[in-house]
Amino acid sequence: MYILRVVRGKESLVSSILMKYGVEVKPSFEKGFVACKIKPSFELMNKLEDYILEVVESNDGEVEIILNKREDKGLKIKEGMVVEIISGIYEGFSGIVRRIEDEIALVDLNLFGKTVPVEIFLSEMRIPADPWS
């Protein structure tokens, strides 16, 4: 396994580019990190040089600690829940999960007075301490 330390807020961009090129990515609850099973190729690293700060080879135990560091005490995100977006371009917004497929959720966000359905990685959201605040 490899841990990629990336520019904060660019985790989903790096993940989507890696997946486009066939690199399997694991979601992370920790900002600034992306985990993948294989080391990205030299060419792919060059394409992402503005976003990847460091690549570290790790064992599975270390990877799990980093990926689950901020996971909410056993609570799983489910359809109908209120979630807070913690990274990416919608960071700071809250919304309601409409549907979940694989590691991506369709979330209804209130953007400037309009409800807009947006696809967001589960790793980019969390259950707020008080979802009604």
Side-chain angles (χ1 to χ4, degrees):
M1 293 289 292
Y2 291 86
I3 298 287
L4 284 62
R5 191 168 62 87
V6 300
V7 174
R8 291 183 129 215
K10 299 298 182 186
E11 300 87 357
S12 66
L13 173 66
V14 170
S15 295
S16 63
I17 292 171
L18 289 171
M19 288 188 296
K20 179 180 175 184
Y21 285 91
V23 177
E24 188 176 336
V25 175
K26 292 186 89 173
S28 172
F29 286 90
E30 185 63 28
K31 288 183 184 182
F33 293 95
V34 173
C36 51
K37 288 197 172 196
I38 62 170
K39 186 175 183 178
S41 67
F42 181 76
E43 294 81 16
L44 191 50
M45 292 291 287
N46 278 338
K47 289 180 191 250
L48 295 168
E49 70 181 343
D50 292 336
Y51 307 112
I52 296 178
L53 305 173
E54 181 180 19
V55 178
V56 178
E57 187 172 5
S58 300
N59 65 41
D60 289 342
E62 293 170 333
V63 171
E64 289 305 314
I65 289 169
I66 291 172
L67 296 183
N68 297 314
K69 187 174 179 182
R70 292 179 56 191
E71 187 171 12
D72 293 356
K73 302 175 180 98
L75 297 176
K76 292 188 90 176
I77 295 173
K78 297 179 182 159
E79 294 176 6
M81 290 182 127
V82 174
V83 293
E84 176 185 356
I85 311 305
I86 58 171
S87 68
I89 62 172
Y90 299 107
E91 182 176 356
F93 286 93
S94 294
I96 298 174
V97 177
R98 183 190 298 181
R99 182 177 69 236
I100 299 174
E101 289 183 16
D102 297 320
E103 294 297 320
I104 299 175
L106 184 64
V107 180
D108 286 335
L109 297 179
N110 184 346
L111 302 176
F112 308 109
K114 291 188 176 189
T115 300
V116 179
V118 179
E119 287 187 343
I120 301 175
F121 283 100
L122 291 175
S123 62
E124 296 181 317
M125 62 183 76
R126 70 174 174 202
I127 300 167
D130 181 5
W132 304 110
S133 60

